[in-house]
Amino acid sequence: MTVATAIMNSRQKSRPRGFTLIELLTVIATIAILAALLLPVLSKAKIKAQRTACLSNLRQLGFAWVMYKDDNSGFLTESYPVNRSGDGVNPEVWVQGDMTKADQSGNADLIRQGKLFAYNQSVPLYHCPTDKGVTIDGQLVPTLRSYSMNCFMGARDPNLGPLPSTATGYVDFYAKDSDVPLPSQTWVMLEEDNRSINDGFFLTDPAAGIWFDFPAISVDRHNYSYALDFADGHSEIWRYTDARTFQVGASKTEQPGNMDLARLAHATATKK
């Protein structure tokens, strides 16, 4: 053997061996398995983070609601969006703007003109991170507001009669904080579904027969749950338990006996 041959053989023996096809496929399969295990965990973590952010938004709006009534001798900011003459916007309403109108859904000035904005001057506070917007004329339009207020909160013209029409036998509205008999069990604001939201006035049937408006009901919105703020200042996440709720896709859906609707109705208003 010559010296040159010996050197060549030595180099060939010391050359690093590459992966075989089987080894490469084994590595790829291992990575795929790890990804399959981790993705659900990451997805749950994302849902939890978004839910926490939404709950924080409502809690801060709830603090603003409390500060407003403390500054106004216990009188509550109004939820009814129309003025007393019925021909314009109510200047005392908690927030302005109709999310079904393209010229209003993204108008931050309408949020700033609401009575609560002075107590926390953050426009993003009014928007849930999971809210992708509303469909207007077949197009998805981003919106600035995801939350609405209990229609029984704040005074309005008593000549309007019961709102909704099924509220006969219930209080007309809560004008002052002292009018709310169970603050810890009465909700003030909640996260409304993008197929239901319009103005900031959430119409609930206290008799629990009809979804006039409805909270967020979507896998994209906290995996079929929604956030609420209560009159005592605390906030909660409510999950749906009645299978019929998942069939709701439009306002004024009749579902008497629905446990989710009954739960919301019970926390909305009290009988006279």
Side-chain angles (χ1 to χ4, degrees):
M1 177 184 295
T2 65
V3 175
T5 303
I7 294 174
M8 183 179 296
N9 290 338
S10 176
R11 287 177 177 175
Q12 289 176 346
K13 290 179 181 179
S14 62
R15 183 180 299 166
R17 183 178 63 87
F19 287 108
T20 66
L21 179 59
I22 293 177
E23 290 172 334
L24 187 59
L25 291 175
T26 301
V27 171
I28 293 173
T30 302
I31 293 174
I33 292 171
L34 289 174
L37 293 173
L38 288 174
L39 283 177
V41 176
L42 294 175
S43 178
K44 288 181 180 179
K46 180 180 179 181
I47 291 172
K48 185 175 181 180
Q50 291 174 331
R51 184 186 296 138
T52 300
C54 182
L55 196 63
S56 175
N57 288 349
L58 271 178
R59 184 176 291 114
Q60 292 181 68
L61 287 173
F63 291 157
W65 181 82
V66 169
M67 287 188 285
Y68 174 92
K69 60 96 173 173
D70 287 346
D71 281 351
N72 290 273
S73 304
F75 284 97
L76 306 181
T77 183
E78 298 178 15
S79 59
Y80 191 63
V82 183
N83 64 18
R84 293 184 181 271
S85 59
D87 59 359
V89 175
N90 178 7
E92 302 301 319
V93 73
W94 79 280
V95 71
Q96 296 184 22
D98 187 332
M99 297 301 100
T100 63
K101 297 179 179 180
D103 62 337
Q104 297 184 29
S105 61
N107 189 340
D109 286 338
L110 295 176
I111 289 179
R112 296 188 183 99
Q113 291 165 17
K115 285 297 181 178
L116 293 188
F117 190 76
Y119 296 92
N120 193 319
Q121 298 181 18
S122 170
V123 172
L125 206 63
Y126 291 72
H127 185 264
C128 170
T130 65
D131 185 357
K132 298 177 181 178
V134 300
T135 300
I136 301 176
D137 296 329
Q139 300 292 323
L140 184 63
V141 178
T143 55
L144 291 177
R145 180 170 55 79
S146 311
Y147 310 116
S148 293
M149 184 175 286
N150 184 341
C151 64
F152 288 88
M153 291 297 168
R156 58 174 177 264
D157 185 354
N159 294 322
L160 291 171
L163 287 176
S165 58
T166 55
T168 302
Y170 291 83
V171 296
D172 291 333
F173 47 75
Y174 300 121
K176 299 187 69 175
D177 58 347
S178 57
D179 295 336
V180 183
L182 299 170
S184 65
Q185 299 177 35
T186 307
W187 68 274
V188 177
M189 285 172 277
L190 57 65
E191 178 187 3
E192 188 168 0
D193 195 282
N194 58 298
R195 295 164 294 179
S196 169
I197 195 167
N198 38 57
D199 51 38
F201 185 73
F202 190 95
L203 208 59
T204 306
D205 177 12
I210 304 173
W211 293 99
F212 284 101
D213 291 324
F214 55 97
I217 306 174
S218 170
V219 66
D220 296 327
R221 302 287 290 272
H222 315 309
N223 195 22
Y224 295 109
S225 63
Y226 66 100
L228 311 88
D229 172 74
F230 289 78
D232 69 339
H234 87 280
S235 301
E236 296 181 10
I237 293 290
W238 282 12
R239 295 183 179 277
Y240 296 110
T241 58
D242 195 314
R244 289 172 294 176
T245 302
F246 306 124
Q247 301 171 4
V248 178
S251 299
K252 299 182 181 179
T253 298
E254 296 186 20
Q255 283 190 341
N258 183 310
M259 292 183 293
D260 296 320
L261 177 56
R263 184 187 188 190
L264 183 63
H266 182 72
T268 297
T270 50
K271 291 185 176 181
K272 293 179 179 179

